[in-house]
Structures are given as C-alpha cells and as structure tokens.
Amino acid sequence: GRVLRQGSLGLGESYMDGWWNAERLDEFFTKVLAAELDRKVISPLSVIFNAITSKILNPQRKSKAFEIGERHYDIGNDLYEAMLDKRLTYTCGYWQNINMRSDNLDRAQEAKLDLVCKKLGLKKGDRILDIGCGWGSFAKFAAERYGATVLGITVSKEQVELGNKLCQGLPVEIRLMDYRDLGEEFNHIVSLGMFEHVGCKNYREYMEIVHRSLKDDGLFLLHTNGRNTTGLGTDPWIAKYIFPNSMLPSIAQIGKSVEGLFVMEDWHNFSFHYYPTLMAWFSRFDAAWPALKEKYGERFYRMWKYYLMASAGSFKSRKNQLWQIVLSKNGVSGGYKSIRLLN
C-alpha cells in the first residue's frame, strides 16, 4: 500500500524503516526494472510535481548550485575514503580486460582515467579544465602520468580542501566554483560525472560555456550517466535522499544541446561497467561500516545500501546508461580515432 500510494519514495523509505529486506538487493532491482514494474504503477503526485518543478522553476539554477555539494559530497570524506578506490574516483570504472572483482577497483579506475587521457590525446604542457573534479583524481592522474596542468572546479568545500592536499606539489589547482563563472581558455576540457547535476533548462548554456572555454583545436570529453527516454527531474527518493536537484539526460537532450556548437567525434557506451563498480563500492562500504556506524547510524546504512544497490540494478537491467562522448569545435582534421582498448 505504501508503494502504491508513494511510488519509489514509499519503496525506499519503507526499506530505510526496516519494513522489508532482500537477500540480494541489487538483483531485486534488476528484476523489478527489467520487468518495468516501475512503469506499471501509477505515478504518485510527487513524480508529477517533480517534473513540473524541473520544467518551470529550474532547480539547477546558479543560486542553488552548491546544494548538491553540501548535501551529498560534503557529508564526510571518511565515508568516501572508505568506499572509493585509492584515488577517490567517484565515477564508473573501466573494466575492459579486468576481472570484475571488487579487489580490482583501483585497476579499473586507473584504466578509466587513462582512457580519458588517451581519448583527448593528452600531452605534456596541455592545460586542462575538469568540470566537477571531485577530489582531484583525474587532475592528479593527468598531471602525474601525462605532464598536464589542470584546473579542477567543484561545488563541494570538502572536495576542495582534501583535493588540493592530495594534489600538493603538482601543477593542479582545485577551486570552489560554479561552471557559470568560468572565464578562461583551455587546450581540453573534461567533465566526469557532473552533467547529471546541470538540468535540462541549463544544458545549452553549459555547452556554450564549454565551447567558449575550449581552444579551437581542443576536445571536450563528457562522461555522464544517461537515460533511455527523455524526461524531466529525477526519481523522488533519489532527489530527497541522495542527489537533490539532479536529473539524467537523454541522447536527444544532449544532441540538442550541442547542435551548432560541436562536432560529435565519438560516443562510447560502457554502462554495464557501472555494475561491478557499484558492487565494489558497496563491498568496501560494508566492510568499513563498523568504523563508520557510530557517526552515521543504522538508518544511514540502509539508505546508502539502498542507493548503491538500486543503482547497480538500474545499470545491470540496462535502464540507465554510462556514456563517454568526445566533441570537437570544428571537426578533427583527418577524422577522430576512437579508442576502446588500452595497452
């Protein structure tokens, strides 16, 4: 009854309240989403309200840009240090030719960072912009391995403080900044897992800012989660507890936002790789819980487990996607060489 009345919000909150359990929560969501049960339940008013709000009020406007940092990324570096790989990379790993075991998370994340650098053709001396840089994992990797100079921007105070500490001694600067305040030019631009916070009303402005900030012969690599159909807003439970003011873009929305600004050089979907990434994050989080539980509490544990396992199911069922898109301003002379395998 709670699910029928409240939809996904009721399902998630009833799990947090301990009303039900599942031996394999990831498989539960894989089966639910593959059977499209979420579409067979009448949408509650919260879903309708969320869509209207996204369309009319622009919840991702500049005045609200720092909310996601405060409510998600600033909740505690100890949580993320326990859950993520050694570089604190909070995006999908690249498991090509890597055994999909949780103890290989470091390898998969370094492979993803190297893949990004190779897709950009990164070389020593390049100045790179990283929009939504997290704790500086890409910035540090690009500086150490490729000799790049990197400016990373984020809306999280905790990420700025720890990220600058981790990148100390390298040509890396991490700033607390909204992307709309950019006014510099770069050889290449990357955005890994930040576009999900931009919002459909701001997609075009975002792309115009990237276009203005990119040198004429540069490349822009957009790494983002995506959805199979165009929609507005996000899941009500995710919006309330995990990612406020977020939404996943569709192919059509991204295409419309870049039209007339960029040439699409490459579109790479490796969404299934998010399943082992999320399972590795949960394994590490679960193992570290005895040291975290006094600070965060049992209800947080159930909330965080639900978030990670529901996300894992959404990717395993192929309802959510993970895209890396390479864009140029004028087209790469002689054509762009797509990269999938790493040496």
Side-chain angles (χ1 to χ4, degrees):
R2 194 169 177 181
V3 174
L4 291 174
R5 289 192 305 272
Q6 298 178 300
S8 67
L9 186 61
L11 182 66
E13 289 186 337
S14 63
Y15 181 82
M16 291 167 63
D17 292 340
W19 284 23
W20 62 278
N21 284 297
E23 186 175 342
R24 284 288 304 274
L25 200 55
D26 59 307
E27 290 295 336
F28 168 80
F29 279 106
T30 300
K31 293 178 183 296
V32 165
L33 294 171
E36 298 189 336
L37 297 186
D38 55 319
R39 299 179 63 182
K40 294 173 183 177
V41 176
I42 298 174
S43 295
L45 290 176
S46 59
V47 175
I48 299 170
F49 177 78
N50 191 24
I52 293 173
T53 299
S54 298
K55 184 69 174 178
I56 298 175
L57 298 182
N58 190 9
Q60 298 85 13
R61 59 192 179 274
K62 189 175 178 181
S63 63
K64 296 176 75 65
F66 291 85
E67 282 189 11
I68 183 62
E70 294 164 358
R71 292 176 56 188
H72 186 84
Y73 299 104
D74 289 347
I75 58 177
N77 284 331
D78 56 345
L79 169 66
Y80 293 108
E81 287 174 316
M83 182 179 83
L84 303 178
D85 65 299
K86 64 182 180 182
R87 291 183 176 272
L88 297 182
T89 313
Y90 197 19
T91 47
C92 180
Y94 193 57
W95 298 82
Q96 192 76 32
N97 296 331
I98 297 175
N99 191 304
M100 291 183 177
R101 300 194 317 261
S102 60
D103 58 349
N104 282 329
L105 180 63
D106 287 345
R107 289 182 60 200
Q109 291 294 14
E110 288 213 350
K112 189 270 301 300
L113 297 175
D114 198 39
L115 180 71
V116 172
C117 292
K118 284 180 164 57
K119 285 183 176 182
L120 292 173
L122 209 57
K123 61 184 185 298
K124 186 175 182 178
D126 282 347
R127 185 163 188 252
I128 311 301
L129 170 66
D130 183 354
I131 303 176
C133 64
W135 293 269
S137 61
F138 170 79
K140 186 178 182 183
F141 184 89
E144 288 176 336
R145 300 289 181 90
Y146 286 83
T149 299
V150 187
L151 170 64
I153 64 171
T154 174
V155 293
S156 164
K157 294 178 182 178
E158 292 292 325
Q159 288 182 338
V160 170
E161 183 178 352
L162 180 56
N164 277 318
K165 187 182 299 183
L166 293 173
C167 296
Q168 195 169 9
L170 294 169
V172 172
E173 178 189 1
I174 297 178
R175 296 180 193 166
L176 188 69
M177 177 189 287
D178 180 66
Y179 68 90
R180 282 160 285 215
D181 292 326
L182 285 165
E184 304 169 56
E185 196 174 54
F186 301 85
N187 296 105
H188 302 295
I189 299 175
V190 301
S191 183
L192 309 179
M194 176 273 175
F195 197 65
E196 299 89 335
H197 306 308
V198 172
C200 59
K201 291 183 74 68
N202 308 299
Y203 288 161
R204 183 65 178 186
E205 180 186 14
Y206 175 92
M207 292 300 178
E208 288 172 345
I209 290 168
V210 171
H211 186 272
R212 185 177 70 234
S213 303
L214 183 65
K215 290 187 175 182
D216 286 345
D217 60 348
L219 294 174
F220 170 44
L221 187 143
L222 178 66
H223 173 117
T224 182
N225 295 345
R227 55 194 296 171
N228 295 328
T229 56
T230 296
L232 300 171
T234 193
D235 174 87
W237 186 88
I238 290 289
K240 182 175 180 179
Y241 290 101
I242 307 297
F243 295 119
N245 309 327
S246 65
M247 65 168 289
L248 299 186
S250 67
I251 291 174
Q253 287 170 323
I254 294 174
K256 185 176 181 181
S257 71
V258 303
E259 188 171 332
L261 293 174
F262 292 103
V263 174
M264 198 282 287
E265 300 286 359
D266 190 43
W267 195 303
H268 184 186
N269 184 344
F270 55 96
S271 54
F272 188 79
H273 292 225
Y274 230 141
Y275 178 73
T277 303
L278 285 154
M279 297 304 290
W281 288 349
F282 175 71
S283 177
R284 292 171 60 86
F285 165 70
D286 191 53
W289 182 246
L292 298 171
K293 65 180 179 180
E294 185 175 347
K295 175 179 177 181
Y296 292 96
E298 189 61 29
R299 198 163 193 266
F300 180 91
Y301 174 85
R302 292 184 70 86
M303 178 190 78
W304 207 252
K305 178 179 180 178
Y306 187 90
Y307 150 54
L308 294 174
M309 295 294 97
S311 299
S314 73
F315 285 100
K316 189 173 184 180
S317 64
R318 302 308 309 279
K319 297 303 178 182
N320 283 350
Q321 308 304 325
L322 185 284
W323 300 317
Q324 278 193 358
I325 307 162
V326 179
L327 303 165
S328 67
K329 292 175 77 169
N330 303 301
V332 174
S333 178
Y336 177 82
K337 182 180 178 181
S338 299
I339 297 174
R340 300 290 183 266
L341 297 176
L342 299 170
N343 295 331

